[in-house]
């Protein structure tokens, strides 16, 4: 899938800064996602991150597709 290619250069664990860059959103937008109840956030110490595989699954499940 295209998303896998788009994010192939990202590490397996993605920081808020990397998430913002990858999705071309602001850093505050990335933190808003990381704080959203249905987003697969990984907490390591005080940092909020996301596993790349979980991000790809989340993006796939939240993509609008024609019926």
């Amino acid at each position: 899938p295209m998303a896998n290619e788009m994010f192939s250069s990202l590490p397996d664990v993605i920081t808020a800064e990397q998430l913002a860059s990858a999705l071309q959103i602001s850093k505050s937008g990335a933190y808003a996602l990381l704080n959203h109840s249905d987003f697969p956030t990984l907490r390591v110490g005080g940092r909020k991150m996301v596993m790349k595989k979980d991000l790809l699954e989340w993006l796939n499940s939240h993509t609008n597709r024609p019926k």
Side-chain angles (χ1 to χ4, degrees):
M2 188 173 80
N4 287 346
E5 294 169 19
M6 288 173 50
F7 299 121
S8 64
S9 65
L10 288 173
D12 289 338
V13 179
I14 301 167
T15 65
E17 294 83 1
Q18 292 164 328
L19 180 62
S21 177
L23 297 180
Q24 298 182 359
I25 59 176
S26 66
K27 191 172 165 185
S28 64
Y31 278 108
L33 267 180
L34 288 165
N35 287 317
H36 199 276
S37 62
D38 78 337
F39 193 78
T41 302
L42 170 68
R43 293 177 191 266
V44 178
R47 298 183 74 188
K48 292 182 180 182
M49 299 182 261
V50 60
M51 298 286 294
K52 179 165 54 174
K53 67 175 183 61
D54 293 339
L55 172 62
L56 293 173
E57 289 174 14
W58 185 86
L59 288 170
N60 189 46
S61 70
H62 285 78
T63 300
N64 292 329
R65 294 187 178 87
K67 295 183 181 188

